[in-house]
């Protein structure tokens, strides 16, 4: 019996040592893979560039505002350059995850409203100030107090809703807009989107080697070629774009603080933060690692600094892109933990930022192709969120919290679509509504009762 006690005590230590050794060897393997720039990694990087659709937001915003060519090109250039630089710094130094950075769609409606009202200078000032506030929170480590957000019940709901949110945009592209739009559900549109989507699913699930890894890229090329054959793609506008271009400093005017504009932009920045946290968590879930406080602090600091710089040269925010994380599940990046493809993508973004003509080619990829590619990506994020929620201890209280949070995140934005101002920014975003719902409900239904029960038990033990 005397020999059994040391054995019982040392066994966990041995398991921990073995587990640590295994994790170290996996990390070393990943580090070795990261140092290799192979043709495969180059193609994977190009695939990240094409799937990220970084150009979509600036092109959409500039077009909706009606910006002249000089300012619209400046906005696209600025976002390409900042997205590339932040992607490079994030992947190599800060969050150290294979995530691509790009403009947050949470700001699209606000930028369009500010632009049509002639207040782009105030919009840029609002983004700059919001970015600095969050940068200070990161540098002072206050942001680490948000660690409670990474409980599986919280991160699972956020990841799930990121997938749902992405699916709304995806289906609009897939179907060719909304009912009443020209080309909506047109046979040619559906043919392109369905074939593109089927190719992604078939190649990613049944393909092998390079075919499996590059399933998105192959589908994009085939879908674009099919669009050209149907006369749905027109790249003639590329000729009007210059070969070289540099973004201008504060192209919309000097600093212009407007509290009425600042508040909704600050709320929108909260949306971007919530989305980024969900993307970080999804990336670590796919890689089989655990998200660390350091990664959160440095990652969000990098995004804040990038957003501040972007606002000064005519762009808007930069945040982690969920659709690129979905790629990690269908190729070798998630297993090997390599960051080389994302680093290559960052370099390509920077180059494109100085070549407006090349960026214009990407911006003209037909919507049905984009929809066909994004649909499996959104589905992958939904399944990742679902798998994360499966890790939550199943009882009546957790099920109520999960159910109500998902219900509110999905249904409340539609129910309150008529709101305006800051309230519209908050309640129109399913990710933000769901994130706040799950945090508040978890605190009220799970954490508070548990705290009261523990306190009561301690008082009972002291009385005894």
């Amino acid at each position: 019996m005397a020999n059994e006690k040391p054995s019982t005590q040392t066994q966990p230590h041995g398991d921990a040592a073995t587990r640590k050794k295994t994790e170290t060897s996996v990390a070393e393997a990943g580090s070795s893979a990261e140092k290799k720039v192979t043709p495969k990694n180059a193609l994977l990087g190009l695939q990240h560039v094409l799937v990220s659709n970084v150009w979509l937001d600036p092109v959409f915003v500039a077009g909706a505002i009606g910006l002249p060519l000089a300012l619209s090109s400046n906005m696209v250039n600025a976002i390409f350059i900042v997205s590339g630089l932040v992607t490079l710094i994030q992947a190599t130094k800060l969050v150290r995850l294979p995530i691509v950075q790009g403009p947050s769609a949470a700001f699209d409606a606000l930028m369009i409203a500010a632009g049509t009202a002639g207040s782009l200078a105030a919009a840029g000032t609002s983004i700059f100030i919001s970015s600095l506030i969050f940068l200070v929170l990161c540098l002072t480590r206050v942001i680490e107090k948000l660690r409670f957000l990474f409980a599986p019940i919280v991160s699972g709901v956020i990841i799930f809703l990121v997938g749902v949110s992405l699916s709304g945009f995806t289906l609009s592209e897939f179907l060719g807009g909304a009912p009443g739009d020209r080309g909506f559900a047109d046979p040619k549109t559906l043919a392109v989107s369905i074939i593109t989507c089927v190719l992604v699913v078939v190649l990613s699930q049944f393909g092998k080697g390079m075919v499996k890894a590059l399933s998105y890229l192959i589908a994009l090329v085939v879908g674009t070629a099919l669009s050209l054959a149907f006369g749905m793609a027109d790249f003639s506008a590329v000729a009007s774009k210059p070969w070289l271009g540099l973004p201008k400093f504060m192209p919309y005017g000097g600093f212009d603080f407007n509290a009425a504009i600042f508040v909704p932009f600050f709320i929108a920045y909260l949306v971007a933060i919530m989305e980024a946290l969900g993307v970080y968590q999804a990336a670590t879930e796919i890689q089989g690692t655990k998200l660390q406080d350091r990664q959160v602090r440095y990652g969000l600091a990098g995004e804040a600094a990038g957003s501040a710089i972007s606002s000064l040269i005519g762009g808007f925010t930069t945040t982690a892109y969920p659709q690129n994380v979905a790629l990690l599940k269908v190729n070798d990046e998630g297993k090997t933990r390599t960051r080389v493809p994302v680093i290559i993508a960052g370099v390509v973004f920077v180059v494109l930022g100085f070549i407006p003509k090349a960026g214009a080619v990407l911006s003209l990829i037909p919507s049905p192709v984009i929809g066909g590619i994004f649909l499996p990506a959104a589905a992958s994020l939904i399944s990742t969120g679902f798998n994360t929620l499966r890790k939550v201890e199943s009882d009546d209280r957790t099920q109520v919290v999960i159910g109500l949070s998902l219900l509110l995140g999905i249904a409340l934005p539609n129910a309150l679509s008529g709101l305006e101002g800051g309230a519209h920014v908050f309640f129109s975003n399913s990710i933000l509504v769901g994130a706040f719902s799950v945090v508040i409900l978890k605190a009220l239904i799970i954490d508070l009762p548990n705290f009261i029960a523990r306190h009561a038990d301690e008082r009972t033990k002291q009385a005894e």
Side-chain angles (χ1 to χ4, degrees):
M1 294 292 293
N3 292 332
E4 291 179 8
K5 187 174 182 180
S7 175
T8 303
Q9 291 177 333
T10 57
Q11 184 64 38
H13 176 75
D15 291 342
T18 301
R19 183 167 58 253
K20 183 176 181 180
K21 183 177 180 181
T22 301
E23 291 174 351
T24 301
S25 63
V26 172
E28 289 175 350
S31 298
S32 176
E34 290 166 13
K35 297 178 181 178
K36 297 179 180 179
V37 180
T38 63
K40 177 181 178 180
N41 281 336
L43 289 172
L44 288 173
L46 179 60
Q47 182 172 249
H48 272 294
V49 170
L50 297 171
V51 171
S52 68
N53 223 5
V54 165
W55 62 89
L56 184 64
D57 288 275
V59 169
F60 171 63
V61 169
I65 295 173
L67 289 179
L69 179 61
L71 286 180
S72 62
S73 297
N74 190 92
M75 180 180 286
V76 174
N77 288 0
I79 286 178
F80 265 125
I81 292 172
V82 173
S83 296
L85 291 175
V86 178
T87 296
L88 287 170
I89 296 172
Q90 290 279 52
T92 57
K93 300 294 183 183
L94 300 179
V95 73
R96 296 180 67 83
L97 288 171
I99 55 175
V100 170
Q101 301 284 148
S104 173
F107 289 84
D108 287 359
L110 293 177
M111 290 295 294
I112 293 170
T116 52
S119 302
L120 280 178
T125 301
S126 299
I127 294 174
F128 182 76
I129 295 175
S130 299
S131 303
L132 290 186
I133 291 173
F134 280 96
L135 180 59
V136 170
L137 292 178
C138 293
L139 296 179
T140 57
R141 308 186 73 164
V142 174
I143 204 73
E144 291 180 11
K145 302 299 182 182
L146 295 175
R147 187 63 183 176
F148 65 91
L149 290 176
F150 308 134
I153 190 172
V154 177
S155 59
V157 167
I158 293 176
I159 295 170
F160 188 96
L161 289 176
V162 167
V164 171
S165 178
L166 183 61
S167 68
F169 156 78
T170 299
L171 286 174
S172 176
E173 299 291 292
F174 190 97
L175 297 173
D181 292 345
R182 181 181 179 184
F184 174 76
D186 181 83
K188 292 182 179 179
T189 298
L190 293 179
V192 172
S193 57
I194 291 173
I195 291 174
T196 304
C197 180
V198 169
L199 272 176
V200 171
V201 173
V202 171
L203 297 180
S204 64
Q205 298 303 315
F206 303 103
K208 298 184 181 298
M210 291 285 286
V211 172
K212 177 182 176 69
L214 300 174
S215 55
Y216 280 76
L217 181 58
I218 295 171
L220 186 144
V221 172
V222 172
T224 303
L226 189 60
S227 297
L228 285 169
F230 286 161
M232 299 170 58
D234 182 10
F235 293 93
S236 60
V238 175
S240 65
K241 299 291 182 178
W243 279 105
L244 296 176
L246 293 173
K248 296 181 180 180
F249 182 73
M250 303 186 77
Y252 312 120
F255 287 103
D256 180 16
F257 180 78
N258 184 320
I261 294 178
F262 170 75
V263 172
F265 269 90
F266 185 80
I267 294 175
Y269 203 96
L270 285 175
V271 176
I273 291 293
M274 290 294 183
E275 184 174 358
L277 292 175
V279 173
Y280 293 174
Q281 187 67 40
T284 53
E285 290 281 342
I286 292 170
Q287 288 191 331
T289 59
K290 185 177 180 180
L291 187 61
Q292 305 296 323
D293 286 341
R294 173 195 173 281
Q295 290 175 291
V296 172
R297 183 172 73 252
Y298 288 177
L300 294 182
E303 294 191 7
S307 297
I309 295 172
S310 180
S311 68
L312 293 177
I313 58 176
F316 41 105
T317 58
T318 176
T319 190
Y321 266 17
Q323 56 263 44
N324 290 85
V325 173
L327 288 180
L328 304 181
K329 293 194 69 174
V330 297
N331 57 38
D332 295 335
E333 291 175 81
K335 296 178 181 178
T336 62
R337 304 181 188 178
T338 179
R339 299 192 297 273
V340 166
V342 166
I343 293 172
I344 293 173
V347 173
V348 173
F349 283 136
V350 173
V351 172
L352 291 177
F354 294 104
I355 308 176
K357 192 177 288 290
V361 173
L362 296 176
S363 68
L364 293 173
I365 292 177
S367 296
V369 178
I370 295 172
I373 288 175
F374 279 6
L375 198 63
S380 179
L381 284 171
I382 291 174
S383 65
T384 299
F386 178 75
N387 289 333
T388 302
L389 290 173
R390 291 177 61 185
K391 300 177 182 179
V392 180
E393 182 179 353
S394 181
D395 57 42
D396 291 341
R397 287 188 292 170
T398 58
Q399 296 305 311
V400 168
V401 171
I402 293 172
L404 283 176
S405 300
L406 292 177
L407 185 151
L408 292 172
I410 294 172
L412 200 58
N414 290 329
L416 301 179
S417 59
L419 295 177
E420 298 180 355
H424 171 73
V425 175
F426 182 92
F427 288 106
S428 66
N429 190 282
S430 62
I431 300 170
L432 190 56
V433 172
F436 272 77
S437 297
V438 69
V439 169
I440 294 172
L441 291 172
K442 176 177 177 290
L444 294 177
I445 299 177
I446 299 176
D447 296 339
L448 182 59
N450 288 345
F451 174 79
I452 294 173
R454 285 196 303 270
H455 187 65
D457 289 342
E458 290 176 359
R459 293 184 61 180
T460 301
K461 291 179 180 178
Q462 291 176 356
E464 293 176 352

